[in-house]
Amino acid sequence: MNVAPAWRRPATALALLTAAALTASCSGGPAAQPPDASQATTTATPQAPTVKITPDEGAAKVSPEKRVIVAAAGAPLDNVTVEAGGEQLEGKYNADKTRWVSKTALKPSTSYNVSATAGVTTATSTFTTAKPERALQVVDVTPNAKGETLGVGAPIIVTFNQPVDNKATIERALEIEAEKPVEGAWRWINDTVVIYRTAKYWPAHQKVTFNADITGIKGGKGLYGVKDYTANLKIGAKQISKVDTRKKMMYVYKDGKRVQTMRISAGMATTREYTTTSGVHLTMERGNPVRMISPGRKKGDPGYYDVMINHAVRISNSGEYVHAKDNVWAQGVRNVSHGCINARPDQARWFYDNVQRGDVVDITGTDRALEWNNGWGFWQMPFSQWKKGSALNKSSKS
């Protein structure tokens, strides 16, 4: 038996391993095998974003109170436009721009076109709003004559064409913007009239804008605003007249400087009717001449009169004016009128020519107080009470 020495066996094994290693390094190894099916990957086609518009396409009789809502899934909104009659409806995106909501109410009886894009997706919708049973509009703002300059006491009196039930809703749509802002509040006088008054007199020499953004706002059952309203007002000089019926004198101040001193004659005070009212009056209107007829009397009755009076400026609804009267003998000496403030004709004409509606005429010295609702006697009511007439029951900041 031939048995190889033990020391020779390991050398043979090492030689074989070396040869295998050399073979592998020279040939680059065996050809790569395809992966198992379990190791294979697939690429899915991305799904297009979706866009949902509310109201839906073709919706009719949509309530003007509704908001246009556009929602996207799968991508943020790139663009949203809502158009009616060439006007764009404003809206607001959420933080990640996946939702857009209109800011304001819609116009009644109007067709809207909506277009929205998110990535490769574009969506559109056309809908029509309902016709209101009753249309709400602002029919008058006083004082607001073309080119008019107002006094610092001027109110803003807004009259609607329909009774308003939802007063708080409508009041929120009324806005006052002033160059020199002051505190103020609305007070509803009745269902169709609301009045804005400042807590203190307007700062002089500034512009004030009133906006009634009531389109689409619900004012009551079947009642919607159909048209916005804007009034641009101008506040002029601070003109305040102080009348002392005891001294029979009237002093006119403009921006703090006395510009006129007038001897006057006030109501004779033999009856309440003939007593001039004390309190803060506002100039309301003027006429030259003005026909004045004794109230509650007919021709032939004691105390009856029917006269034409020159350069008359109304300061209340109870028949009080500052006007011309050629009775110089009484002016500065005795009160002999039926309740008005009369002055020398040339001075009354000066007052007539220089007055602004809403100027303050502060009368003292009688025992008859001006009622807050007698003409524009609104300053007779404390502001703390005035603002309680707001449907919001709080003051506003203009």
Side-chain angles (χ1 to χ4, degrees):
M1 175 184 300
N2 292 321
V3 179
W7 60 271
R8 296 183 64 90
R9 290 196 295 271
T12 303
L14 179 61
L16 292 173
L17 288 172
T18 302
L22 290 172
T23 302
S25 64
C26 292
S27 66
Q33 299 297 318
D36 295 339
S38 61
Q39 296 177 318
T41 58
T42 59
T43 302
T45 302
Q47 188 174 9
T50 60
V51 177
K52 169 67 175 174
I53 298 174
T54 305
D56 297 330
E57 167 66 30
K61 297 183 179 181
V62 174
S63 171
E65 296 176 278
K66 296 291 185 182
R67 293 291 189 262
V68 178
I69 301 173
V70 181
L77 290 161
D78 298 312
N79 183 56
V80 175
T81 58
V82 182
E83 181 270 340
E87 295 182 0
Q88 299 284 335
L89 187 68
E90 292 186 2
K92 184 178 181 180
Y93 294 97
N94 64 355
D96 58 6
K97 293 193 70 175
T98 58
R99 183 179 173 88
W100 182 96
V101 181
S102 58
K103 291 182 179 180
T104 58
L106 303 172
K107 292 183 178 181
S109 307
T110 302
S111 177
Y112 282 86
N113 297 308
V114 186
S115 177
T117 59
V120 297
T121 302
T122 297
T124 60
S125 175
T126 299
F127 65 90
T128 304
T129 52
K131 179 181 179 180
E133 295 177 19
R134 295 179 295 149
L136 180 66
Q137 296 186 63
V138 173
V139 292
D140 183 71
V141 172
T142 298
N144 183 33
K146 185 177 181 180
E148 182 174 26
T149 301
L150 306 177
V152 295
I156 300 176
I157 305 171
V158 179
T159 303
F160 295 96
N161 67 326
Q162 299 278 355
V164 176
D165 294 325
N166 298 343
K167 291 182 175 62
T169 303
I170 295 300
E171 190 176 323
R172 288 190 189 95
L174 307 180
E175 183 181 53
I176 303 294
E177 296 178 355
E179 291 179 335
K180 303 173 184 178
V182 289
E183 183 183 10
W186 293 98
R187 183 179 184 88
W188 290 86
I189 305 304
N190 53 48
D191 289 344
T192 59
V193 178
V194 63
I195 301 174
Y196 188 84
R197 202 208 90 183
T198 48
K200 298 180 180 179
Y201 298 144
W202 293 104
H205 306 290
Q206 64 163 319
K207 294 179 181 179
V208 175
T209 301
F210 162 70
N211 291 307
D213 297 325
I214 61 171
T215 300
I217 304 299
K218 188 175 183 179
K221 184 178 181 181
L223 178 66
Y224 289 89
V226 295
K227 186 178 181 181
D228 292 344
Y229 189 103
T230 297
N232 296 308
L233 312 175
K234 180 181 178 182
I235 306 296
K238 182 180 182 179
Q239 294 190 160
I240 296 179
S241 298
K242 293 186 177 295
V243 178
D244 187 329
T245 62
R246 291 191 179 96
K247 294 182 178 180
K248 294 86 177 175
M249 295 296 295
M250 176 172 170
Y251 307 96
V252 183
Y253 298 85
K254 182 176 181 179
D255 290 333
K257 181 181 179 181
R258 188 192 295 186
V259 292
Q260 190 65 264
T261 300
M262 303 162 61
R263 295 177 178 270
I264 60 93
S265 183
M268 63 182 74
T270 54
T271 65
R272 184 176 185 277
E273 177 186 354
Y274 293 161
T275 302
T276 302
T277 59
S278 288
V280 178
H281 303 65
L282 297 179
T283 55
M284 301 167 59
E285 62 181 2
R286 63 183 181 175
N288 182 41
V290 170
R291 185 182 182 185
M292 298 187 184
I293 305 174
S294 52
R297 289 177 173 81
K298 54 187 177 180
K299 194 171 183 178
D301 290 345
Y304 173 82
Y305 59 87
D306 183 350
V307 293
M308 301 299 291
I309 300 295
N310 291 333
H311 299 112
V313 178
R314 179 185 286 276
I315 58 173
S316 79
N317 275 351
S318 57
E320 293 172 301
Y321 289 79
V322 176
H323 65 73
K325 182 78 172 176
D326 192 10
N327 62 342
V328 179
W329 63 271
Q331 291 158 358
V333 179
R334 293 177 58 190
N335 291 322
V336 297
S337 83
H338 295 105
C340 291
I341 303 295
N342 65 63
R344 203 173 69 201
D346 61 317
Q347 291 185 322
R349 179 173 181 173
W350 177 91
F351 185 76
Y352 178 95
D353 289 341
N354 287 275
V355 76
Q356 306 165 134
R357 278 204 293 177
D359 281 348
V360 175
V361 179
D362 190 357
I363 301 176
T364 59
T366 75
D367 60 2
R368 180 185 174 187
L370 175 69
E371 303 86 356
W372 76 269
N373 56 355
N374 183 352
W376 293 356
F378 310 131
W379 292 95
Q380 289 295 94
M381 180 181 288
F383 185 70
S384 59
Q385 183 178 350
W386 174 271
K387 62 186 180 181
K388 291 179 181 179
S390 165
L392 305 177
N393 201 25
K394 62 180 180 181
S395 65
S396 60
K397 191 81 170 179
S398 62

